[in-house]
Every structure is written in C-alpha cells, then in structure tokens.
Amino acid sequence: MSSTLPQQGPIAPDALEEQPVGAVTRRTVLTGAAAATAAATVGAPLDTPAHAHSVDPNSREHMVLFVLLSSTLTGIPADKLAPGFRLAPPPTSPPTVPEPPIDLAKSVPGSDPVDVKREYLTWANEKHPSGLEHLLRLVRTNLNASDRDRAIIDALRFDDGDKSKTAYDVDAKYLARSIVLMWYLGAWYEPAELRALRKDPSRTPTFQVISPKAYTQAWALRVAQAHPMGFSEMQFGYWTRPPSELLDFM
Amino acid sequence: MAGEIDKIVWDVAIVGSGFAGALIANELGKGRRRVIVLEAGAGVPPNINAYMRRFYLASAKVPESPYTPEIFGENGLSDPNKVNAGRPTVLSLNPKGRFGDWTDPKQAYLIQTGPRPFASTYDRVAGGTSHWLGTCLRFVPNDFKMKSQYGQLADWPIEYKDLNSWYGEAEKELGVSADVDEQKFGGIEFPPGYHYQMRKIPNSTTDQYVHESLNKSPLTEAETGFLGMGTAVTEIPVRGVPAARNSEPYRNRRACAGNTNCIPICPIQAKYDPTITLNDAMNTGFVKLSERTVASEIVVGQNGLISEIKYIRYKTDTGKRAETGSVKARIYVIAANAIETPRLLLMSTNGGRTPKGIANTSDMVGRNLMDHPYYVVWGMSPKQIYPYRGPLITSGIGDLCDGPFRRERAAFRIDIGNEGWNFVVGGDPNVTTLDFVNGLNKSGLNRAADESDKLLGNEALFGKDLVARLNDKFTRQFRCGFLIEQTPDRDNRVTLSSKFADGLDLPRPQISYNLSDYTRRGFVAAYRMKNLLFGKMGLTEFTKVDPEDPTRFEEEIDRKPVPLNYTGAGHIMGTCRMGDDPKESVVDNFQRSHDHKNLYLVGSSTFPTGATANPTLTIAALSLRTAKHILDTDFRR
C-alpha cells in the first residue's frame, strides 16, 4: 500500500491513504499506531490534535516529499540532505520531454546513519502539522512540473498583505522559512517568531537548537565552504589553502 | 563536620586548579610533596562529552557555554544569589534595562559599580578557564620596565631575562607550536638552539590576504607616522601566533583539525587545557583534588603565618552546603584568579583580627584590576578570504606593541580572526542566515539598494539563490581586534559586596572599573590603524557601536566624534601586584606574600602591568618558577 497526499482539494485524513479507510494493509501495520489513528479520524477538522498525524514521518512517500521540499527550499541537493536519496524513475540525462512521472512509491528517501531528516520531519510535524501538510501537498501538486523548484518557490513568495492568499498560505510561507533555518542552522525559529520579526525587526530573535546532532549537521557554514564551528571533518592545515569548490561541499 | 582531607597536615594546600594551580600542583607532586587542591567548581570530568553536548545545545555559544555551573536557570540567567560557586558571563554585559543588564545583581554575578563594565569572564571548574584561545605569546622585554623605559605604568621586579628559561619550561609543559625565527620581534630573544615543541600552525587564507594587502608596496611616513614607532615603518608583518595547540601529536593528544572552536572548547583537545596537567599531577600519587570545595577563609596564626584554610563543600550547583572543614599545610598557594583571589583574601578577616583581609598591609589587594580592553572591528573583503576555517586565530600583528609612543599612549596588538562575523553582529552564521531567509538586515549585509541602514532587509530568498548569496557573504567576512594595554589604576578595584552574596552566603565580588586617558589614547591609535588596514585591504567597514552599549565612549578623532567600544579579552590581571616594596605591592618576585612567608598568590593577579600579550604563558612561566622556589627554599632537603 502506498500513502500519498492528494494533489488538490481539501485534505481529509483518510485521503492520505489511497486504499479505503480502515483497510488493514501492510503499510498501516508497518506504521502502526500513527497510521491507524489517522485512519480512524475521518472528517476531523484540520487543526485538531488528531489530525497531527496526517503527515506520517514513518511514511516513505511523505519522507520523499519532505526531502524534495527541503531541497527546493534550501537549494541543497536532495541526496546531500538525505544521503542515499533517489527518485524513481531517475531524471533522464539529457532531459527528455516529457520526463516519465515520478513514482513516489518506488523512490528511496535515503538510508544514512545520521538520518537528521527524520528528526526534522518529526519535529516540523509535531510543531505545525497542518502547515507541513500544506507544504507537502504543494510538492505533491508540482511533483512533475517542468520546473518544480520554481513552481514551489513562487507559491511561497508573496507579501503578507497579498489579498489573494489565505491565512494557510501565509502560515505555510513562514513555516517554509523555519524549515530552511532548521536545515541551515540546526535550530528552530518558530514561524510566528519570524513573522513577528518582520513586523518588528529590532526584537531579539528567540530560537532553540534542535539537538546536538542537528547542530553538527547544519548547512550554513558548509555553504560557506567550511564546517559547523566545533565540528570539523577536515585535516590539519586545510585552512592555509582555499577550500574545494562549493559544488564539492554540496 | 570535618572532611577526610582535614585529617593530615599537607605539605602544600592550593586553592584553584586552573593554569597556575595545576602547574604548581604537578611540579610539587613530581617533587614528592603531598598536595591538596581545593577546587570551587566541579572536578575533572571523565571525558568532555557533557561539555560538548552543552555547547552544541546552547543558543548563545558564549565562551562559558560548555562549562558549569549552568548559565541559565528556569527563568533566564541563573540567579547568582543561589549558585554556590558562581561566575560571570558575557550574557550579563548588556545595556541597562535589557536582558542581561550588567548592573542587575539578579543576572550578573559580579556587582559592577562602574562607571564602565569590566567585560571579562572566567570559569569555576577543575582546569580553570579552559575557554582560552591557546595563544602563548611571550611578553617583550620592555613590557617589564614601562616605568624606567617610558616613564609610564610600572616596572616589574623581574626582567625578561629572568623569565626566558621559564618561558621555555612553560612552552614545554603546554606544548607550543611556533617558529623561533618568526617570534623574534620586539626584542624577544631565545636561548641558543632553542626550538618550540612543534612546527608552527600554518597561517590562514585570511592571514595571507592581510599580509599581502598591507605590504604590497612599502608603507610611507604619511601612512604610519601616527604609530610613533620612532623609526620609519615601511612594513608591518603578519606573524604566526605561538599556540598551545598541537600541529602534530604531542603527549598523547591529537593534531588540530581546524574546528574553529578553540573558544569555547576544542572538541578533540588538540588545544592544551589545565585538566591535562591536573591529571598528570594526580597521577604522581601525591596530589589530591577536592572538588566543589570553596575556600572561605584563610586563617592566620599568632606568628603571622597562615595556619589553615577553611572551606565549604556542596554537592550540587545550587544545593545546600554539605560540610565545612579546614585544611592544614606548611605552605599555602592561592591560585583562584585575579578576581576570586583578592575576594578570598579580603573575606579572610579572622574575626576582626585582620580587618583589611590577608596579605593586605599595603592596601593593594584588589586594586589595579586590568584587562586588555578589546576593540573589535569588522568588514567585508572585496575577494573571498574563506573564514570559518582553521583555529580561531592563527596570526596577528605584534610588531607595533613597543616603541617610544608608549610615553604617550597605550600599546596594542592585533588579532586576526578566522571566524568571520561569528564574534560580532550578534553571532554568525545565524544572523546573516536569518537575514536572507526572513528578509531582515541585522547583519547589515541585506541592505536595500538605497543603502539605507534599516533592519528590514531587501531580500528573502529560497533555494539556489540563497546558497549563492550566503556563500558570497560568508566567504568575504573579516574581523580583527586590538588588544590594548591598560594602565594599572588604584580605583579599578575588586572589593566585597556588602549587599549581595552567593549561594554559600559568601560576599560576591564588587568591581569598579574605568579606562584612563592613556588607555583611551591607545584606542585612538587602534582606530587609525584600523583605517590603514581596512583601506589597504579594500574592505567595506560594517563595525557598529550600539548607542546603548555600556562600554561605548566617544573620542574626537580628526575633529570628528568617533564612537568606540570594547569587549573583554578574558585577561584578568593586577589585583595582587608583585614588587620589591611591601608598601606598594602584595607579593615579591616569587609571588610570595610580603606579609605571610608561607603564603603564595599566583596567576595574573600578580602582574604589575598587563602588556599586550595574552597572559597565560607568563602565568605558566611564573608558576613554574614559583614551584621551583617552593621546592628549593620551603622544602630544602
């Protein structure tokens, strides 16, 4: 069984599963209580706690969508954020028109010993389940767009005052920024904090380092062709020469 | 209720297990003297995992962040009133009324009466202030004779030549990487054939850019005349900084891997810290460390000799006192630091028999508190210089630290940072990343095209645009700092607070502190040097002084008011000055109290002047010299 976010329309928790609600499938057995809870809460409003499990960190497909989302937002290749990540079928090189559609069920979210992606998906899902669902749906909708990155980013770039956007859109925009900061800094800046900072930039931002692991996996200084401070994986004397090219770091 | 350690008479009792205490304990242990070390804070941990975890999780990765006691309590900063062995933090140096108000005794361990903040901090834990950089500069010869050479500050009762071999011994114990020929400047000489333990730490890409920019063509008198060096300055070399940081495996520790984290903590102990010597000391079998044991009073006998030291033990940072007791020894060594040492001396009133405290007939205990006020500046380089790589500092400019100008103004030394803007703007990489993700401009790097200085930024980016922008900004960041020699001033002073105590009900240190005109003239020269350097490097300057910063002051430079400020260098010195005259000084040149022949006060509290070099190597050299003196004179065999 596969679990896939719907491409459009209002999200009902049961829609997460392609198969009929309540069907005991290998997937629901494998994912255990979380999936079972989601399946049992048909028709629950978006913001109830029960709905928190609409995105399932144990779902391979949700993880693939999260890695694709993260890669688009951060600009860092998916297989660097999630070592071992690969899409099925892989993009053709050179690209053909049309590219064959991505099969989420066969894509691999990566298997890496550090696995910070799981910590991040779980974290974001616990903090803002409906916002995360909104973002993953955005990826799902644009999965086979000719320029997926552009389509996703364009949907998240607008002024807060834009009348054509809903409150969900605005929430999703700031959650997207929180997710970028999570990957870059290993720290969590609440979407509401980011919004407040835009209103009053003089305030001192509050944030929380997610975990020691998250700190050591942060990308900001890898993007600077360096390493998180206090977590060098380089050799004595490397600093006396210019670093390898940026591409080698990502 | 007395403890186990009270039952015997020790040869030597040492208060404090930092650089001075650990080195002396080890030498005495090797000399088969039974030593008890009283450490106010926690003991040596079995490994540094807990420190690293605390560091990784800290939102503010300040120098004190890996160590105990905890900086934060349930409601913000820990209340120093409740902490048994408290310590200052840079988080409580903020403007009045804000978080970390420097004048608020509920947030700041030191009771600061001003007019300016004393900005340096220290740790209270076995191994002392391990959040040091590793810099192992020697003083230059004239640093020891400022009065006789330049008519300013004070002379030391010893000279460079008295310390030369002890510097060598200290370098051996700490394990220093440097090149002898490169370190011969400012009159520094080495014994024939001398070499450092390890080859020098290579300079960074940032260092190389500074050196090349500054010396592309010979400098002119018009450019460098302001320095007052007495001779034409046509070249200003950037030199490697000697460091107790392994460039190859040394004494069972690894070579530096460039973690760019010497402060707060080296994750692989490639940088020396005193827990290494402390472990050696305990391995002699003659040294015992008693942790969480706060010395509370030095007791003097009728014969004028110290007879015992009373202590209070506790089990947890904020828990109740567990027991009290006292240790007896033939010789006593106070190695607390230049704030805690005078505090203990002043607390020791012996029920009114010594109302001015111990070792204080000169009234000099607690006076002449010094730091190297640190003037920090930053900018963006026109080309990529790749900071955030290598040790925090690999090179500096030391050649300008001595000359005839010292008759008129304070000397300075320049540190070249390898850590981009981590130390400034509120802490990068976070600030600049947040700016470009969320459309802010706290770093100053996300300005709108009209160059307005608004805090709201121009761009909020996702994706590959974000990568490109951050790469461009981070790889061009430059930061340097000027360590400025500070005059010893009687009223820069550590006393005891009459109102505020710590968790053990011991009075907290009260500090009055200011910058003299002579010191501030050093800032003015540093400011001009910054202009020369930034001009040569083609930097765009981003240095900003918060209008409410309590360290801010203004100087008129070229008929314009210029805002300046300082941070602490962590170099706490001067409060038990050494000298030949017992009326004007606290200890003699072996750091022995003039008043009590079996009492030594060690560490940078005994420095009569601070020079511009980081004090640690000089602390270590003086400590080894004192240890030898104790073995040779107090325990003649």
Side-chain angles (χ1 to χ4, degrees):
Chain A
M1 142 133 198
S2 63
S3 68
T4 310
L5 289 166
Q7 298 196 22
Q8 53 197 356
I11 298 220
D14 57 321
L16 278 170
E17 307 288 331
E18 279 180 351
Q19 297 211 355
V21 175
V24 178
T25 64
R26 191 171 51 167
R27 184 71 205 166
T28 48
V29 170
L30 283 175
T31 55
T37 308
T41 52
V42 184
L46 279 170
D47 289 320
T48 61
H51 194 74
H53 298 295
S54 321
V55 175
D56 175 7
N58 291 315
S59 153
R60 154 203 293 246
E61 295 180 14
H62 293 181
M63 182 58 86
V64 171
L65 290 172
F66 179 66
V67 173
L68 288 173
L69 171 76
S70 298
S71 176
T72 295
L73 296 179
T74 60
I76 297 161
D79 63 349
K80 289 297 189 320
L81 297 179
F85 178 89
R86 61 179 189 277
L87 284 176
T92 52
S93 179
T96 55
V97 181
E99 292 259 351
I102 293 166
D103 183 347
L104 287 174
K106 290 182 181 154
S107 297
V108 177
S111 163
D112 58 294
V114 177
D115 205 21
V116 76
K117 64 181 182 297
R118 175 169 302 274
E119 190 168 342
Y120 288 171
L121 175 56
T122 305
W123 181 281
N125 192 38
E126 280 174 7
K127 295 276 182 187
H128 295 282
S130 58
L132 181 66
E133 191 179 319
H134 185 108
L135 289 172
L136 295 194
R137 188 170 55 195
L138 182 63
V139 181
R140 181 70 188 79
T141 306
N142 293 289
L143 194 58
N144 290 300
S146 60
D147 187 344
R148 184 174 62 232
D149 288 350
R150 185 49 45 208
I152 294 168
I153 289 173
D154 283 350
L156 295 167
R157 294 188 71 173
F158 52 86
D159 288 336
D160 288 3
D162 188 333
K163 294 275 188 286
S164 71
K165 301 294 180 185
T166 67
Y168 283 135
D169 294 326
V170 178
D171 287 349
K173 176 176 88 171
Y174 284 104
L175 178 61
R177 291 178 178 184
S178 296
I179 289 172
V180 173
L181 291 167
M182 177 161 67
W183 282 103
Y184 269 79
L185 301 170
W188 185 250
Y189 292 74
E190 270 295 333
E193 175 71 32
L194 299 178
R195 208 162 167 175
L197 278 162
R198 285 285 301 172
K199 289 214 179 78
D200 173 15
S202 70
R203 61 184 276 139
T204 303
T206 56
F207 65 94
Q208 176 188 357
V209 177
I210 290 171
S211 67
K213 175 162 85 179
Y215 177 82
T216 63
Q217 300 305 307
W219 280 91
L221 291 181
R222 291 184 167 96
V223 161
Q225 289 158 276
H227 54 78
M229 295 177 80
F231 193 75
S232 161
E233 294 167 296
M234 300 176 206
Q235 300 283 324
F236 176 79
Y238 73 86
W239 54 87
T240 199
R241 303 175 296 277
S244 308
E245 287 182 26
L246 178 57
L247 278 177
D248 295 335
F249 284 84
M250 34 184 291
Chain B
M1 188 166 55
E4 198 64 22
I5 57 176
D6 302 7
K7 290 177 182 161
I8 63 169
V9 177
W10 299 84
D11 288 328
V12 182
I14 301 177
V15 177
S17 69
F19 287 87
L23 286 165
I24 292 175
N26 189 36
E27 292 306 308
L28 297 176
K30 286 191 288 186
R32 306 177 72 80
R33 294 294 154 192
R34 289 168 310 156
V35 178
I36 179 71
V37 182
L38 307 183
E39 169 51 53
V44 182
N47 55 53
I48 62 169
N49 295 354
Y51 288 163
M52 288 310 299
R53 182 179 166 77
R54 210 179 277 108
F55 163 74
Y56 284 145
L57 281 174
S59 301
K61 294 188 167 17
V62 294
E64 310 86 38
S65 58
Y67 308 100
T68 54
E70 299 291 345
I71 300 172
F72 286 95
E74 277 175 22
N75 309 303
L77 292 169
S78 299
D79 181 354
N81 186 42
K82 301 199 168 83
V83 180
N84 289 329
R87 57 179 176 149
T89 164
V90 295
L91 293 173
S92 55
L93 290 169
N94 287 325
K96 279 189 189 183
R98 290 198 209 163
F99 165 83
D101 177 344
W102 70 286
T103 62
D104 178 7
K106 284 277 186 197
Q107 301 185 76
Y109 169 72
L110 300 177
I111 309 302
Q112 301 235 28
T113 60
R116 300 178 201 281
F118 183 76
S120 279
T121 67
Y122 51 87
D123 293 322
R124 290 177 82 192
V125 72
T129 304
S130 294
H131 70 244
W132 75 308
L133 187 72
T135 302
C136 276
L137 288 158
R138 296 177 173 211
F139 280 19
V140 304
N142 281 339
D143 289 338
F144 296 93
K145 40 188 183 187
M146 285 295 292
K147 192 80 180 175
S148 45
Q149 201 69 23
Y150 299 118
Q152 291 285 0
L153 285 69
D155 280 353
W156 289 49
I158 47 173
E159 295 185 44
Y160 180 84
K161 64 178 169 53
D162 299 314
L163 274 191
N164 197 343
S165 68
W166 292 109
Y167 273 136
E169 292 298 318
E171 284 156 357
K172 199 161 102 189
E173 177 58 30
L174 275 55
V176 178
S177 302
D179 177 69
V180 166
D181 288 334
E182 192 181 26
Q183 299 309 325
K184 288 176 183 161
F185 68 93
I188 292 177
E189 288 173 0
F190 296 87
Y194 185 80
H195 59 85
Y196 284 95
Q197 288 66 45
M198 290 164 276
R199 67 193 159 114
K200 69 174 277 190
I201 306 268
N203 57 11
S204 68
T205 41
T206 299
D207 299 336
Q208 292 159 26
Y209 185 60
V210 176
H211 183 83
E212 286 157 16
S213 311
L214 204 46
N215 298 295
K216 231 174 304 184
S217 51
L219 296 160
T220 64
E221 174 63 20
E223 289 171 325
T224 61
F226 75 91
L227 291 167
M229 293 295 287
T231 53
V233 178
T234 56
E235 190 194 11
I236 300 179
V238 169
R239 294 179 193 270
V241 173
R245 185 186 299 124
N246 290 0
S247 62
E248 53 199 78
Y250 184 75
R251 290 174 63 176
N252 304 321
R253 288 181 293 113
R254 306 168 50 177
C256 173
N259 274 283
T260 326
N261 210 57
C262 319
I263 299 170
I265 184 167
C266 175
I268 62 171
Q269 265 194 328
K271 181 194 74 180
Y272 170 90
D273 71 70
T275 63
I276 292 154
T277 297
L278 210 48
N279 281 327
D280 285 350
M282 290 188 277
N283 290 346
T284 64
F286 288 88
V287 177
K288 181 173 170 57
L289 179 82
S290 181
E291 64 190 55
R292 297 188 175 93
T293 305
V294 179
S296 55
E297 183 165 38
I298 303 168
V299 179
V300 63
Q302 294 303 330
N303 58 2
L305 294 177
I306 306 306
S307 58
E308 62 185 318
I309 293 183
K310 293 183 182 170
Y311 65 80
I312 305 167
R313 291 193 77 170
Y314 61 91
K315 288 206 171 105
T316 60
D317 288 353
T318 53
K320 285 188 177 143
R321 53 175 74 190
E323 62 183 2
T324 56
S326 78
V327 290
K328 292 185 176 57
R330 289 168 64 189
I331 299 294
Y332 298 85
V333 178
I334 313 302
N337 67 40
I339 289 177
E340 295 295 330
T341 291
R343 178 192 182 210
L344 174 59
L345 296 172
L346 294 171
M347 285 195 302
S348 302
T349 51
N350 285 272
R353 281 193 295 121
T354 54
K356 284 163 63 185
I358 287 291
N360 196 21
T361 56
S362 65
D363 189 37
M364 283 294 158
V365 169
R367 294 189 185 273
N368 304 303
L369 175 66
M370 296 175 285
D371 193 356
H372 294 130
Y374 195 38
Y375 172 52
V376 177
V377 293
W378 61 98
M380 285 295 274
S381 158
K383 58 171 265 189
Q384 293 183 301
I385 51 177
Y386 304 110
Y388 299 100
R389 300 159 71 246
L392 286 180
I393 288 171
T394 39
S395 299
I397 295 173
D399 294 49
L400 308 176
C401 78
D402 184 44
F405 66 84
R406 288 177 110 173
R407 292 181 211 284
E408 311 295 334
R409 59 127 175 125
F412 60 75
R413 243 195 73 72
I414 306 174
D415 271 349
I416 299 167
N418 288 332
E419 80 301 329
W421 291 5
N422 173 254
F423 191 51
V424 295
V425 303
D428 253 347
N430 287 44
V431 174
T432 296
T433 306
L434 180 60
D435 277 0
F436 284 98
V437 170
N438 199 39
L440 303 172
N441 185 34
K442 286 169 178 273
S443 63
L445 294 175
N446 195 12
R447 287 178 188 177
D450 62 2
E451 288 293 310
S452 69
D453 202 21
K454 286 185 302 191
L455 289 172
L456 219 47
N458 184 36
E459 296 181 303
L461 302 172
F462 284 122
K464 296 189 173 70
D465 294 342
L466 179 63
V467 170
R469 190 71 78 248
L470 289 180
N471 176 263
D472 175 61
K473 300 299 184 190
F474 283 139
T475 56
R476 295 192 291 120
Q477 290 180 345
F478 176 80
R479 191 285 295 177
C480 71
F482 296 75
L483 294 132
I484 294 169
E485 180 165 35
Q486 173 161 35
T487 49
D489 300 321
R490 284 175 57 89
D491 293 333
N492 285 351
R493 190 174 180 193
V494 179
T495 54
L496 301 177
S497 172
S498 56
K499 282 197 214 142
F500 300 99
D502 63 18
L504 299 175
D505 289 330
L506 301 175
R508 295 204 333 243
Q510 179 167 302
I511 310 281
S512 59
Y513 185 74
N514 205 347
L515 302 180
S516 69
D517 291 347
Y518 178 92
T519 305
R520 292 207 311 276
R521 285 197 294 273
F523 275 81
V524 173
Y527 174 84
R528 293 186 196 279
M529 182 63 207
K530 178 267 295 176
N531 286 346
L532 172 65
L533 183 66
F534 279 27
K536 291 282 177 185
M537 292 176 69
L539 294 182
T540 307
E541 182 163 12
F542 281 83
T543 312
K544 228 161 107 175
V545 180
D546 183 338
E548 291 177 56
D549 180 349
T551 70
R552 181 187 197 275
F553 60 99
E554 273 185 10
E555 291 291 320
E556 192 170 298
I557 304 176
D558 299 332
R559 289 181 297 282
K560 274 192 311 196
V562 174
L564 300 165
N565 69 345
Y566 62 92
T567 65
H571 303 164
I572 311 169
M573 303 174 284
T575 50
C576 299
R577 57 169 22 188
M578 77 166 68
D580 292 329
D581 182 354
K583 291 197 202 69
E584 291 294 322
S585 58
V586 181
V587 295
D588 68 15
N589 76 73
F590 286 104
Q591 306 187 98
R592 185 201 296 258
S593 159
H594 291 305
D595 296 346
H596 313 281
K597 294 304 170 197
N598 65 339
L599 177 67
Y600 291 81
L601 313 173
V602 297
S604 44
S605 65
T606 66
F607 290 12
T609 63
T612 54
N614 308 43
T616 304
L617 187 73
T618 303
I619 293 173
L622 289 171
S623 298
L624 294 175
R625 184 170 176 267
T626 291
K628 175 89 165 31
H629 184 75
I630 291 173
L631 285 172
D632 288 354
T633 63
D634 296 313
F635 296 105
R636 261 190 308 253
R637 272 167 240 168

